[in-house]
Amino acid sequence: MQQAATNWWVEITTLSPRCIYYFGPFETNEEAKAAYPGYVKDLDGEGAKGIIVVIQRCQPKELTICEEDKI
């Protein structure tokens, strides 16, 4: 039986646009490390700025979370 939050996920935060993306799940930290450069390349190609990558064990409820500009 698999416990919640045992899978590895790549969490990528971008400052512009202000978003958090989750990619996964991966069975090992090494699989996540091998995969994340492709995600960063795609986001960079889409013009994202301020890219921060964190590899962690978690269970995201949403795969993409973006802050809407509220005025």
Side-chain angles (χ1 to χ4, degrees):
M1 184 170 87
Q2 186 176 19
Q3 296 177 344
T6 57
N7 288 323
W8 291 91
W9 289 78
V10 176
E11 177 189 273
I12 300 180
T13 303
T14 58
L15 300 179
S16 177
R18 293 187 59 84
C19 293
I20 301 171
Y21 305 93
Y22 290 95
F23 300 94
F26 298 95
E27 290 188 16
T28 66
N29 186 18
E30 290 74 23
E31 287 179 10
K33 283 182 180 177
Y36 90 79
Y39 304 133
V40 170
K41 183 178 178 183
D42 288 347
L43 289 169
D44 188 53
E46 292 174 11
K49 302 294 180 207
I51 297 171
I52 302 163
V53 178
V54 177
I55 296 172
Q56 61 185 344
R57 287 181 183 252
C58 64
Q59 191 67 42
K61 290 182 170 64
E62 297 179 58
L63 298 182
T64 303
I65 303 165
C66 291
E67 278 188 23
E68 297 294 329
D69 290 336
K70 296 178 182 175
I71 300 175

